[in-house]
Amino acid sequence: MTTRLKSLGDWVAETAKLTQPEAIHWCDGSKQEYDALVKQMLGDGTLLELNQQNYPGCYLHRSDPQDVARVEHLTYVCTQQEDDAGPNNNWMEPAEAKAIMRDCFEGAMKGRTMYVIPYCMGPVDSPYARCGVEITDSPYVAVNMYLMTRMGSAALDRIERDGTFVKGLHSIGELDPERRYIMHFPEELTIMSYGSGYGGNALLGKKCHALRIASWQARDEGWLAEHMLIVGIQNPQGETHYLACAFPSACGKTNLAMLIPPETHKGWKVWTLGDDIAWLHLDEDGQLRAINPEAGYFGVVPGTNRKTNRNAYDMITHDTIFTNVAVTANNDPWWEDKDEGAPAVDWVGRTYSPGNGPAAHPNSRFTVAATQNPSYSKLADAPEGVPISALVFGGRRRELAPLVYQARDWAHGVLVGASVASETTAAATGKVGVVRRDPMAMKPFCGYNYGDYWAHWLSFAERSSKLPKIFHVNWFRRDANGKFLWPGFGDNLRVLRWIIDRCEGRVGAIEKPIGHLPRPEDIDVSGLDVSNGTLEQLLAVDPKQWREEMEHLGEYLSSFGERLPAALDAEHRKVMDALG
Ligand code: GTP
Ligand code: SPV
Ligand code: MN
């Protein structure tokens, strides 16, 4: 297979000249191709077979132990003007970045196969979908792209029709953390990634394209590319509301997107549209609609069990690639809080010993096609996407942020999104558990200056009078002993119900300086072991703590200088004044 599109053919030829692969393989996206790549990787040890009776079609990949997460300090946005990337991104002059990358890629694929992967982010027949081509020397990347995107011939057809695509060049290089770069050139719709095989660094359709490059394009074209799950909540009367929710990495998107209603909630159904990324567009009627650009999940494994997420637990029992989990004595995959079996060999391949830390890496992941999800919504394939009733922001906060609150209006909602802060997780290298500002859960993914991004968000109010309502949630508030106050997981539906009732004008609220809060009696805790006192604690807003928080937020917002929209500053001042 080659291509009729000259720009693509030329780029592949140029890249081959630079990287000097032994062979070039154009991926057609067929099951036969996937099977052949798996077989090849089983042969060279890149994949290990798991117990095929218990886990048919499941394989384990052990990454280099120094290559287990996104590397934010090595991720750059290379725009002509530094200010366009903003203080929220690492910036490098494009010519300098390209020189570094040329040096890295020169001869990088010697003796290896170069895979050319045409992919489509979004349903191939959707006007909202966008395509790219990833060139990589990693067959692990190729099989992950097969599970995660619409990849191969159909995507190539569309690319040839559109005549345009995002160029993504990737090589695992030497897997040397000192020679690792994830570079973005949004002005040229180009990505170059070197030295890592890990998901977010290497599967270029995901964070690099569908968030960093797409957010840039979305600003120019009037839409939004967000780090959001998309979920449909169907009540016993058969009405379905769609919500898009932005939580930082490893803060519960996959789990919320496929939650199972609690026992007390007979007749409720939850439909998964997406678990990580949403592309949001206004339609002709001013309704915000969402598509999920992805076709699979790259999800956090630890913590998944029959009680927390039965859907995910069942989904990953077949045709799944596991990365960096442990294995049991009978070669089943194992992870912390699996609640079944025991680890025999840890994620790096050593005999398990508690002294070496967790058996599975805290950021171990599963890769699986979305269609394997028991709660998969067929509308995930609808070209026009689904109408969004509410946008929900959230973070992992042991204190301060209440279980849920609602923004007064769109502009205040943008401030609420901009105020997201969260304890860091193992999804990125660096310290875990430190609170950092993560506006809209996009700190690692916004491909341009946050000041401009907030202005873009605010501009939606001028374009539609039917925008979704905006909320903030926190499932992670803890008591003095460090215990979670809220049961979370399936019981989060109880909070989503309040959110939907607010959207429908079916329930009242208490007005506070930070926004509208539920009256405790409006959160249905039937059948739960949550006392009135605990619920009050979950909904408590401490004015002194909040004043401090808002002061910090003010300092942070000011760091964007002239690019900070005056309207956002004004929203911030309103809340400060209300807090007194
Ligand atoms: P990325 O894929 O990194 O963007 O993460 P994500 O937001 O999809 O996070 P995910 O749903 O995979 O959850 C990450 C971790 O949080 C897992 O270990 C979950 O078990 C845990 N978690 C998810 N939801 C809840 C919840 O409601 N309460 C508590 N306590 N933990 C949760
Ligand atoms: C995240 O870190 O937010 C992820 C995993 O969803 S990765 O694709 O590696 O970015
Ligand atoms: Mn994510």
Side-chain angles (χ1 to χ4, degrees), residues 96-109:
E96 186 190 342
K98 281 185 207 163
I100 293 175
M101 295 317 264
R102 203 171 306 117
D103 186 50
C104 287
F105 278 103
E106 193 156 30
M109 300 189 187

mmCIF file with all atom_site columns, all heavy atoms in Angstrom, residues 96-109:
data_model
loop_
_atom_site.group_PDB
_atom_site.id
_atom_site.type_symbol
_atom_site.label_atom_id
_atom_site.label_alt_id
_atom_site.label_comp_id
_atom_site.label_asym_id
_atom_site.label_entity_id
_atom_site.label_seq_id
_atom_site.pdbx_PDB_ins_code
_atom_site.Cartn_x
_atom_site.Cartn_y
_atom_site.Cartn_z
_atom_site.occupancy
_atom_site.B_iso_or_equiv
_atom_site.pdbx_formal_charge
_atom_site.auth_seq_id
_atom_site.auth_comp_id
_atom_site.auth_asym_id
_atom_site.auth_atom_id
_atom_site.pdbx_PDB_model_num
ATOM 1   N N   . GLU A 1 96  ? 15.158 25.589 16.345 1.00 0.00 ? 96  GLU A N   1
ATOM 2   C CA  . GLU A 1 96  ? 16.046 24.923 17.296 1.00 0.00 ? 96  GLU A CA  1
ATOM 3   C C   . GLU A 1 96  ? 15.504 23.527 17.634 1.00 0.00 ? 96  GLU A C   1
ATOM 4   O O   . GLU A 1 96  ? 16.248 22.534 17.654 1.00 0.00 ? 96  GLU A O   1
ATOM 5   C CB  . GLU A 1 96  ? 16.130 25.782 18.564 1.00 0.00 ? 96  GLU A CB  1
ATOM 6   C CG  . GLU A 1 96  ? 17.134 25.282 19.578 1.00 0.00 ? 96  GLU A CG  1
ATOM 7   C CD  . GLU A 1 96  ? 17.019 26.013 20.922 1.00 0.00 ? 96  GLU A CD  1
ATOM 8   O OE1 . GLU A 1 96  ? 16.417 27.108 20.978 1.00 0.00 ? 96  GLU A OE1 1
ATOM 9   O OE2 . GLU A 1 96  ? 17.540 25.455 21.910 1.00 0.00 ? 96  GLU A OE2 1
ATOM 10  N N   . ALA A 1 97  ? 14.195 23.454 17.851 1.00 0.00 ? 97  ALA A N   1
ATOM 11  C CA  . ALA A 1 97  ? 13.567 22.165 18.176 1.00 0.00 ? 97  ALA A CA  1
ATOM 12  C C   . ALA A 1 97  ? 13.764 21.177 17.022 1.00 0.00 ? 97  ALA A C   1
ATOM 13  O O   . ALA A 1 97  ? 14.082 19.997 17.230 1.00 0.00 ? 97  ALA A O   1
ATOM 14  C CB  . ALA A 1 97  ? 12.087 22.365 18.460 1.00 0.00 ? 97  ALA A CB  1
ATOM 15  N N   . LYS A 1 98  ? 13.572 21.677 15.811 1.00 0.00 ? 98  LYS A N   1
ATOM 16  C CA  . LYS A 1 98  ? 13.698 20.772 14.654 1.00 0.00 ? 98  LYS A CA  1
ATOM 17  C C   . LYS A 1 98  ? 15.130 20.282 14.493 1.00 0.00 ? 98  LYS A C   1
ATOM 18  O O   . LYS A 1 98  ? 15.352 19.132 14.103 1.00 0.00 ? 98  LYS A O   1
ATOM 19  C CB  . LYS A 1 98  ? 13.225 21.479 13.388 1.00 0.00 ? 98  LYS A CB  1
ATOM 20  C CG  . LYS A 1 98  ? 11.710 21.483 13.293 1.00 0.00 ? 98  LYS A CG  1
ATOM 21  C CD  . LYS A 1 98  ? 11.286 22.080 11.980 1.00 0.00 ? 98  LYS A CD  1
ATOM 22  C CE  . LYS A 1 98  ? 9.900  22.679 12.135 1.00 0.00 ? 98  LYS A CE  1
ATOM 23  N NZ  . LYS A 1 98  ? 9.576  23.599 11.064 1.00 0.00 ? 98  LYS A NZ  1
ATOM 24  N N   . ALA A 1 99  ? 16.091 21.139 14.786 1.00 0.00 ? 99  ALA A N   1
ATOM 25  C CA  . ALA A 1 99  ? 17.497 20.720 14.683 1.00 0.00 ? 99  ALA A CA  1
ATOM 26  C C   . ALA A 1 99  ? 17.773 19.592 15.680 1.00 0.00 ? 99  ALA A C   1
ATOM 27  O O   . ALA A 1 99  ? 18.396 18.578 15.341 1.00 0.00 ? 99  ALA A O   1
ATOM 28  C CB  . ALA A 1 99  ? 18.417 21.907 14.932 1.00 0.00 ? 99  ALA A CB  1
ATOM 29  N N   . ILE A 1 100 ? 17.270 19.739 16.894 1.00 0.00 ? 100 ILE A N   1
ATOM 30  C CA  . ILE A 1 100 ? 17.454 18.680 17.899 1.00 0.00 ? 100 ILE A CA  1
ATOM 31  C C   . ILE A 1 100 ? 16.802 17.390 17.411 1.00 0.00 ? 100 ILE A C   1
ATOM 32  O O   . ILE A 1 100 ? 17.375 16.305 17.495 1.00 0.00 ? 100 ILE A O   1
ATOM 33  C CB  . ILE A 1 100 ? 16.837 19.098 19.258 1.00 0.00 ? 100 ILE A CB  1
ATOM 34  C CG1 . ILE A 1 100 ? 17.624 20.272 19.850 1.00 0.00 ? 100 ILE A CG1 1
ATOM 35  C CG2 . ILE A 1 100 ? 16.778 17.915 20.220 1.00 0.00 ? 100 ILE A CG2 1
ATOM 36  C CD1 . ILE A 1 100 ? 17.018 20.831 21.125 1.00 0.00 ? 100 ILE A CD1 1
ATOM 37  N N   . MET A 1 101 ? 15.597 17.525 16.869 1.00 0.00 ? 101 MET A N   1
ATOM 38  C CA  . MET A 1 101 ? 14.868 16.333 16.450 1.00 0.00 ? 101 MET A CA  1
ATOM 39  C C   . MET A 1 101 ? 15.521 15.684 15.225 1.00 0.00 ? 101 MET A C   1
ATOM 40  O O   . MET A 1 101 ? 15.563 14.458 15.108 1.00 0.00 ? 101 MET A O   1
ATOM 41  C CB  . MET A 1 101 ? 13.393 16.659 16.168 1.00 0.00 ? 101 MET A CB  1
ATOM 42  C CG  . MET A 1 101 ? 12.615 17.093 17.397 1.00 0.00 ? 101 MET A CG  1
ATOM 43  S SD  . MET A 1 101 ? 12.960 16.092 18.863 1.00 0.00 ? 101 MET A SD  1
ATOM 44  C CE  . MET A 1 101 ? 11.643 14.930 18.829 1.00 0.00 ? 101 MET A CE  1
ATOM 45  N N   . ARG A 1 102 ? 16.048 16.502 14.339 1.00 0.00 ? 102 ARG A N   1
ATOM 46  C CA  . ARG A 1 102 ? 16.730 15.931 13.167 1.00 0.00 ? 102 ARG A CA  1
ATOM 47  C C   . ARG A 1 102 ? 17.902 15.067 13.633 1.00 0.00 ? 102 ARG A C   1
ATOM 48  O O   . ARG A 1 102 ? 18.115 13.962 13.166 1.00 0.00 ? 102 ARG A O   1
ATOM 49  C CB  . ARG A 1 102 ? 17.200 17.041 12.223 1.00 0.00 ? 102 ARG A CB  1
ATOM 50  C CG  . ARG A 1 102 ? 17.399 16.558 10.792 1.00 0.00 ? 102 ARG A CG  1
ATOM 51  C CD  . ARG A 1 102 ? 17.655 17.701 9.801  1.00 0.00 ? 102 ARG A CD  1
ATOM 52  N NE  . ARG A 1 102 ? 16.628 18.733 9.843  1.00 0.00 ? 102 ARG A NE  1
ATOM 53  C CZ  . ARG A 1 102 ? 16.842 20.016 10.195 1.00 0.00 ? 102 ARG A CZ  1
ATOM 54  N NH1 . ARG A 1 102 ? 18.040 20.429 10.546 1.00 0.00 ? 102 ARG A NH1 1
ATOM 55  N NH2 . ARG A 1 102 ? 15.848 20.880 10.198 1.00 0.00 ? 102 ARG A NH2 1
ATOM 56  N N   . ASP A 1 103 ? 18.622 15.599 14.582 1.00 0.00 ? 103 ASP A N   1
ATOM 57  C CA  . ASP A 1 103 ? 19.764 14.881 15.131 1.00 0.00 ? 103 ASP A CA  1
ATOM 58  C C   . ASP A 1 103 ? 19.318 13.549 15.768 1.00 0.00 ? 103 ASP A C   1
ATOM 59  O O   . ASP A 1 103 ? 19.937 12.512 15.568 1.00 0.00 ? 103 ASP A O   1
ATOM 60  C CB  . ASP A 1 103 ? 20.425 15.800 16.166 1.00 0.00 ? 103 ASP A CB  1
ATOM 61  C CG  . ASP A 1 103 ? 21.707 15.210 16.683 1.00 0.00 ? 103 ASP A CG  1
ATOM 62  O OD1 . ASP A 1 103 ? 22.529 14.808 15.836 1.00 0.00 ? 103 ASP A OD1 1
ATOM 63  O OD2 . ASP A 1 103 ? 21.862 15.127 17.919 1.00 0.00 ? 103 ASP A OD2 1
ATOM 64  N N   . CYS A 1 104 ? 18.228 13.584 16.500 1.00 0.00 ? 104 CYS A N   1
ATOM 65  C CA  . CYS A 1 104 ? 17.707 12.350 17.122 1.00 0.00 ? 104 CYS A CA  1
ATOM 66  C C   . CYS A 1 104 ? 17.269 11.340 16.057 1.00 0.00 ? 104 CYS A C   1
ATOM 67  O O   . CYS A 1 104 ? 17.583 10.148 16.148 1.00 0.00 ? 104 CYS A O   1
ATOM 68  C CB  . CYS A 1 104 ? 16.501 12.671 17.999 1.00 0.00 ? 104 CYS A CB  1
ATOM 69  S SG  . CYS A 1 104 ? 16.884 13.502 19.532 1.00 0.00 ? 104 CYS A SG  1
ATOM 70  N N   . PHE A 1 105 ? 16.513 11.806 15.065 1.00 0.00 ? 105 PHE A N   1
ATOM 71  C CA  . PHE A 1 105 ? 15.895 10.874 14.116 1.00 0.00 ? 105 PHE A CA  1
ATOM 72  C C   . PHE A 1 105 ? 16.850 10.368 13.039 1.00 0.00 ? 105 PHE A C   1
ATOM 73  O O   . PHE A 1 105 ? 16.566 9.375  12.385 1.00 0.00 ? 105 PHE A O   1
ATOM 74  C CB  . PHE A 1 105 ? 14.663 11.522 13.466 1.00 0.00 ? 105 PHE A CB  1
ATOM 75  C CG  . PHE A 1 105 ? 13.433 11.443 14.325 1.00 0.00 ? 105 PHE A CG  1
ATOM 76  C CD1 . PHE A 1 105 ? 12.958 12.543 15.043 1.00 0.00 ? 105 PHE A CD1 1
ATOM 77  C CD2 . PHE A 1 105 ? 12.756 10.236 14.463 1.00 0.00 ? 105 PHE A CD2 1
ATOM 78  C CE1 . PHE A 1 105 ? 11.844 12.452 15.850 1.00 0.00 ? 105 PHE A CE1 1
ATOM 79  C CE2 . PHE A 1 105 ? 11.628 10.128 15.266 1.00 0.00 ? 105 PHE A CE2 1
ATOM 80  C CZ  . PHE A 1 105 ? 11.173 11.249 15.969 1.00 0.00 ? 105 PHE A CZ  1
ATOM 81  N N   . GLU A 1 106 ? 17.963 11.019 12.879 1.00 0.00 ? 106 GLU A N   1
ATOM 82  C CA  . GLU A 1 106 ? 18.884 10.626 11.818 1.00 0.00 ? 106 GLU A CA  1
ATOM 83  C C   . GLU A 1 106 ? 19.352 9.180  12.026 1.00 0.00 ? 106 GLU A C   1
ATOM 84  O O   . GLU A 1 106 ? 19.975 8.849  13.034 1.00 0.00 ? 106 GLU A O   1
ATOM 85  C CB  . GLU A 1 106 ? 20.095 11.559 11.784 1.00 0.00 ? 106 GLU A CB  1
ATOM 86  C CG  . GLU A 1 106 ? 20.898 11.367 10.524 1.00 0.00 ? 106 GLU A CG  1
ATOM 87  C CD  . GLU A 1 106 ? 21.714 12.608 10.167 1.00 0.00 ? 106 GLU A CD  1
ATOM 88  O OE1 . GLU A 1 106 ? 22.112 13.355 11.082 1.00 0.00 ? 106 GLU A OE1 1
ATOM 89  O OE2 . GLU A 1 106 ? 21.937 12.794 8.961  1.00 0.00 ? 106 GLU A OE2 1
ATOM 90  N N   . GLY A 1 107 ? 18.986 8.305  11.104 1.00 0.00 ? 107 GLY A N   1
ATOM 91  C CA  . GLY A 1 107 ? 19.380 6.898  11.184 1.00 0.00 ? 107 GLY A CA  1
ATOM 92  C C   . GLY A 1 107 ? 18.715 6.135  12.335 1.00 0.00 ? 107 GLY A C   1
ATOM 93  O O   . GLY A 1 107 ? 19.081 4.997  12.627 1.00 0.00 ? 107 GLY A O   1
ATOM 94  N N   . ALA A 1 108 ? 17.694 6.760  12.978 1.00 0.00 ? 108 ALA A N   1
ATOM 95  C CA  . ALA A 1 108 ? 17.096 6.157  14.185 1.00 0.00 ? 108 ALA A CA  1
ATOM 96  C C   . ALA A 1 108 ? 16.405 4.822  13.901 1.00 0.00 ? 108 ALA A C   1
ATOM 97  O O   . ALA A 1 108 ? 16.221 4.007  14.808 1.00 0.00 ? 108 ALA A O   1
ATOM 98  C CB  . ALA A 1 108 ? 16.106 7.129  14.810 1.00 0.00 ? 108 ALA A CB  1
ATOM 99  N N   . MET A 1 109 ? 15.987 4.581  12.656 1.00 0.00 ? 109 MET A N   1
ATOM 100 C CA  . MET A 1 109 ? 15.226 3.354  12.384 1.00 0.00 ? 109 MET A CA  1
ATOM 101 C C   . MET A 1 109 ? 16.063 2.296  11.656 1.00 0.00 ? 109 MET A C   1
ATOM 102 O O   . MET A 1 109 ? 15.511 1.341  11.113 1.00 0.00 ? 109 MET A O   1
ATOM 103 C CB  . MET A 1 109 ? 13.946 3.702  11.606 1.00 0.00 ? 109 MET A CB  1
ATOM 104 C CG  . MET A 1 109 ? 13.034 4.646  12.379 1.00 0.00 ? 109 MET A CG  1
ATOM 105 S SD  . MET A 1 109 ? 11.428 4.859  11.591 1.00 0.00 ? 109 MET A SD  1
ATOM 106 C CE  . MET A 1 109 ? 10.697 6.164  12.607 1.00 0.00 ? 109 MET A CE  1
#
